[in-house]
Amino acid sequence: MARSWATLGVDLHLEPTGPHLRRGLTDALRDAVRGGRLAPGTRLPSSRSLAADLGIARNTVADAYADLVAEGWLTARQGSGTRVAGRTVVPPTGAAARPPERHRPLYDLRPGSPDLASFPRAEWLRAARRALTAAPSDALGYGDPRGRIELRTALAGYLSRARGVRADPERIVVCAGFAHGLRLLATVLRARGVRTIAVESYGLDEHWRLLASTGLTTVPLPFDELGADPGKSTGPGAVLLTPAHQFPMGVPLHHDRRAAVVDWARRTGGLVLEDDYDGEFRYDRQPVGALQGLDPDHVVHLGTASKSLAPGLRLGWMVLPPDVVEDVVKAKGGVDTSGVLDQLTLAEFIVSGAYDRHVRAARTRYRRRRDALVAALAARAPAIRVTGIAAGLHAVLRLPPGTEGAVVRAAAYQGLAVDGLVPRYRHPDAVTEPLDALVVGYGTPPDHAWSGALDALCAALPFGANGSGIPFPG
Amino acid sequence: MARSWATLGVDLHLEPTGPHLRRGLTDALRDAVRGGRLAPGTRLPSSRSLAADLGIARNTVADAYADLVAEGWLTARQGSGTRVAGRTVVPPTGAAARPPERHRPLYDLRPGSPDLASFPRAEWLRAARRALTAAPSDALGYGDPRGRIELRTALAGYLSRARGVRADPERIVVCAGFAHGLRLLATVLRARGVRTIAVESYGLDEHWRLLASTGLTTVPLPFDELGADPGKSTGPGAVLLTPAHQFPMGVPLHHDRRAAVVDWARRTGGLVLEDDYDGEFRYDRQPVGALQGLDPDHVVHLGTASKSLAPGLRLGWMVLPPDVVEDVVKAKGGVDTSGVLDQLTLAEFIVSGAYDRHVRAARTRYRRRRDALVAALAARAPAIRVTGIAAGLHAVLRLPPGTEGAVVRAAAYQGLAVDGLVPRYRHPDAVTEPLDALVVGYGTPPDHAWSGALDALCAALPFGANGSGIPFPG
């Protein structure tokens, strides 16, 4: 039975729910003030008279009034009773502008994400249970800004074993993915007076923007079939590279270039940032070991769980030269640290061998997808050269000059989102001749959508077997 | 059986473990180069001759050499065979300097952390299982920089119900705890040209330092028994407050002051940052509703799971005025976002009612601790006035003037870590007369250590019942 609050001339109803009565009264009264049904300045009935009206204890009303006075909705003055506070409570001006819903393509072959459907949920939950059960209570407190020691130890073992990284838990800092690590390092570089960082002519525009936002100028290195060429450059204080598997072009950095980069760093005291985003996924030969192994005093090794597990984990790591560790910790400021439960779970996931098993299974799955992509293109768009397929989760499809934009639009017409090379992946200041190409990520589509995505891709390509493609010009 | 690598004149051993042979050979050779046992320039035996020596297939040796050439450890030149690369590989200069182990006190009554031993591990794991099982695969990808919609929706419901916040999921941004949110907001304020932020005369030095590090000057507001006094101030562009439970003094902000703060914000267009760090823990009356409810267009409500659950979760939230949302998202830069698994789990934890149950149980537990503290002091240090105990996880123990430092030292002698008010919690520019006091956190010690901690505290206080305390001067 609802009780009407006739005394106030407003149509309020109170559920007489025993111990919640005071709460209900407080809420109802607050809502009435907030919504304008009780105007500023309105004098409320005395607690005695309202209590009688409502058939409840006077104290309940007095308590509710006191709560609302404390919150600023009501005022209580000796001699003038309890009144609605004199300020107008302005309703919020509405929800923040929502970003417009982007039209969702039927198929999405843009690179950057692994197959999220194959995230090992059950294994992860088992690891979480073991990790949280075993963790000391202290682990749940404010922790080491470098990250949990369990995870840093597990990573040191794994990276040394699987990637040839010279890793010591004391020099590892856990971060919220590669971009977070890059921003921290950029902050450190800026604080050291570095103004310029060399990058590859092909890369990810988001990273260049991120570096620019911290005040670093990005200068693209010349690029050829051996990878980026550090040349005799002495200008920049740092260089950002993807040595194991150039993103997005797919070549590993040639050993001469690896040597030259390390030489450059030693000669100039510069810092090499090694983005090892998908070092685990190499199909046709053993993984290329980490560049960091050549010179752990001049190379920062950056890795991430975003490709091997899922971006949503927001877990990455940096293996740092000794003199950089404290600066990075300072840049973090104890503020933007990762949740310990996921850190402990990933540590357990690695140490238990689940990570290796997952990576092996994923490698097989991606390799199968890559093979299907290569086979489909060979059969249906044989003029298209596919490169960068020895590793990773994406391939580069070389297109006839001048056709990139048209192919991307033709793909969109097929309901397929796919990225052209030039707009997102070619540095605006690159001197290398622009190539027409697609960057095709094959990690993302769920298995059931994979053949449809391939059909759409082939149909959009020049010389597609179904004849719908754009012919080579000239 | 280990095979010695006599050919190279170095004492290397290879475990002949079938498919791992190539890997073992690569690793052994890399280690030998890295460790200096194979000097730069050393010519390696041909793959044929080494294979014969080791009794393994020639291809295995050739593959291992190729791997190491690709990694830069070896060089292969037509006509000069395979050699150790000409650069010296410098070993790292050792682990980063470890911070010295701080002497761990026997008891710790410094405030800031909840009781970590009572983190609801089993309930949390159950929620994690439900959340991860129910989540769509998309949830594991790069997500909304504001945080998962499931969590923002759950928070909107909870904050509106429990804290009187006017919350809309679209205006909530998830962050990695209060300090992270504060840094983001400070960045936004600086970008808007704000140079000065008013703070309470008593607060947390870390927050002042954090604000200073983003370029904001902190100006303390006058402070009395009604809380901070915003006065007629028009200078600062923002004010940071703990309205529900002043930290660390413990008073709720008086309703006149609440009104004055909101008036100030409307008059000047300034922003009020409401730090609602422990709004859930109020013992002697209903919680004081959020200041944000008075004016959601001028007040940012900041909350955290650090006190109600555990700091290690690194989960906090901001309810923002509409025009601040986009700026905060921009300040995050898509970089320092929280793991989605914890976000989904907290959402499930709230929606399932587990959060309310946990907070209720914790409130009972903390209240019991508080009562034990008050009783122990009444019996054994009756001259000590205890304030700020109506809520939260800490109390303020007022000391005779001039004794604060001596009491903190006496406590340390008892093996008890406890904070004096002035060094950490009084703004250096505060004009308010400094008070001698201890800030005693009763959340942290595990139950079994609680009575020992109380004994140590009482023994360190002036007029301790056991006579060991420091007498009042004069």
Side-chain angles (χ1 to χ4, degrees), chain A residues 72-126:
Chain A
W73 298 102
L74 304 182
T75 59
R77 293 272 179 267
Q78 201 66 35
S80 85
T82 304
R83 289 176 183 276
V84 176
R87 296 174 314 289
T88 321
V89 175
V90 184
T93 51
R98 286 166 212 238
E101 274 292 317
R102 260 186 286 176
H103 179 68
R104 223 185 153 89
L106 202 54
Y107 303 109
D108 194 342
L109 291 178
R110 289 172 295 191
S113 177
D115 177 19
L116 301 173
S118 68
F119 181 80
R121 297 184 187 211
E123 278 268 36
W124 185 265
L125 284 166
R126 278 194 290 275

Side-chain angles (χ1 to χ4, degrees), chain A residues 3 176 229 277 358 365 409 424:
Chain A
R3 304 181 211 200
D229 183 0
Y277 63 106
H358 170 71
R365 211 166 37 243
R409 287 190 296 277
R424 269 193 80 188

Side-chain angles (χ1 to χ4, degrees), chain A residues 67 69-71 73 87-88 104 121 132 135 138 140 161 183 255 258 263 266 285-286 293 312 340, chain B residues 23 67 69-70 73 87-88 104 121 132 135 138 140 183 255 258 263 266 285-286 289 293 312 336 340:
Chain A
D67 289 343
V69 167
E71 290 177 25
W73 298 102
R87 296 174 314 289
T88 321
R104 223 185 153 89
R121 297 184 187 211
L132 186 50
D138 278 2
L140 301 171
R161 171 169 59 79
R183 189 168 74 179
H255 49 82
R258 289 167 70 102
D263 281 344
R266 290 186 188 160
R285 40 159 298 163
Q286 287 208 304
V340 295
Chain B
R23 178 67 166 270
D67 289 343
V69 167
W73 298 102
R87 295 174 316 288
T88 322
R104 223 186 152 87
R121 297 183 187 212
L132 186 50
D138 278 1
L140 302 170
R183 189 168 73 178
H255 50 82
R258 288 168 69 102
D263 281 345
R266 290 186 187 159
R285 40 160 297 165
Q286 285 208 306
D336 44 358
V340 295

Side-chain angles (χ1 to χ4, degrees), chain A residues 69-73 85-91, chain B residues 166 221 228-234 236-241 243 253-274 289-301 321:
Chain A
V69 167
E71 290 177 25
W73 298 102
R87 296 174 314 289
T88 321
V89 175
V90 184
Chain B
R166 306 181 72 175
L221 295 170
D229 183 0
K232 304 283 170 227
S233 154
T234 52
V239 55
L240 170 64
L241 296 172
L253 188 64
H254 189 268
H255 50 82
D256 288 345
R257 298 277 168 83
R258 288 168 69 102
V261 168
V262 169
D263 281 345
W264 164 83
R266 290 186 187 159
R267 202 172 60 241
T268 65
L271 203 62
V272 181
L273 313 187
E274 174 181 36
L291 182 65
Q292 189 263 9
L294 290 182
D295 193 340
D297 279 347
H298 291 94
V299 182
V300 176
H301 180 83

